[in-house]
Amino acid sequence: MFSLKEVLNSIPIGYLVRILRALYEAESQGIYMMVRSMVAEKAGIPPSTYFGGLKHRLLAGGLFEEVDVTRRVKALKLTDKGRRMAECILKCTST
């Protein structure tokens, strides 16, 4: 398991912010998990980048967790740690 610091240093900050924002905004609309491909789309991240290693680093940091929707479909949802980070980022970036 990697520390959150190691994970954050291995992920482009723009990707992390956009994913946190997409999931946090979905939660504010009552959607508590989102299919992984939808997360990548909402965050503007190419699927090849997301599925090519980014998702493993995101999960290792403990900001997100994967939930089985069906046998083949997985969704992402924020953990408490991820929600707190999203709130902090949104607070700091809103003007």
Side-chain angles (χ1 to χ4, degrees):
M1 184 63 112
F2 298 99
S3 72
L4 181 58
K5 182 178 179 180
E6 290 172 318
V7 170
L8 293 178
N9 286 333
S10 72
I11 299 172
I13 192 69
Y15 287 168
L16 179 63
V17 168
R18 293 192 317 242
I19 291 170
L20 283 166
R21 182 175 300 206
L23 287 168
Y24 189 80
E25 288 174 354
E27 274 193 5
S28 70
Q29 298 171 6
I31 303 167
Y32 293 95
M33 66 179 82
M34 198 183 304
V35 176
R36 297 179 305 182
S37 58
M38 179 73 75
V39 172
E41 181 183 320
K42 292 264 187 206
I45 299 170
S48 59
T49 300
Y50 179 79
F51 290 105
L54 183 61
K55 76 176 183 99
H56 298 295
R57 289 179 278 166
L58 291 169
L59 294 170
L63 300 173
F64 312 93
E65 64 181 287
E66 264 186 347
V67 178
D68 291 332
V69 176
T70 67
R71 199 178 93 219
R72 296 184 65 210
V73 177
K74 296 187 185 299
L76 278 183
K77 68 183 245 181
L78 289 172
T79 61
D80 290 338
K81 187 191 310 186
R83 194 171 300 103
R84 287 192 306 272
M85 182 174 275
E87 289 168 350
C88 182
I89 288 171
L90 291 173
K91 182 179 178 183
C92 293
T93 58
S94 65
T95 53

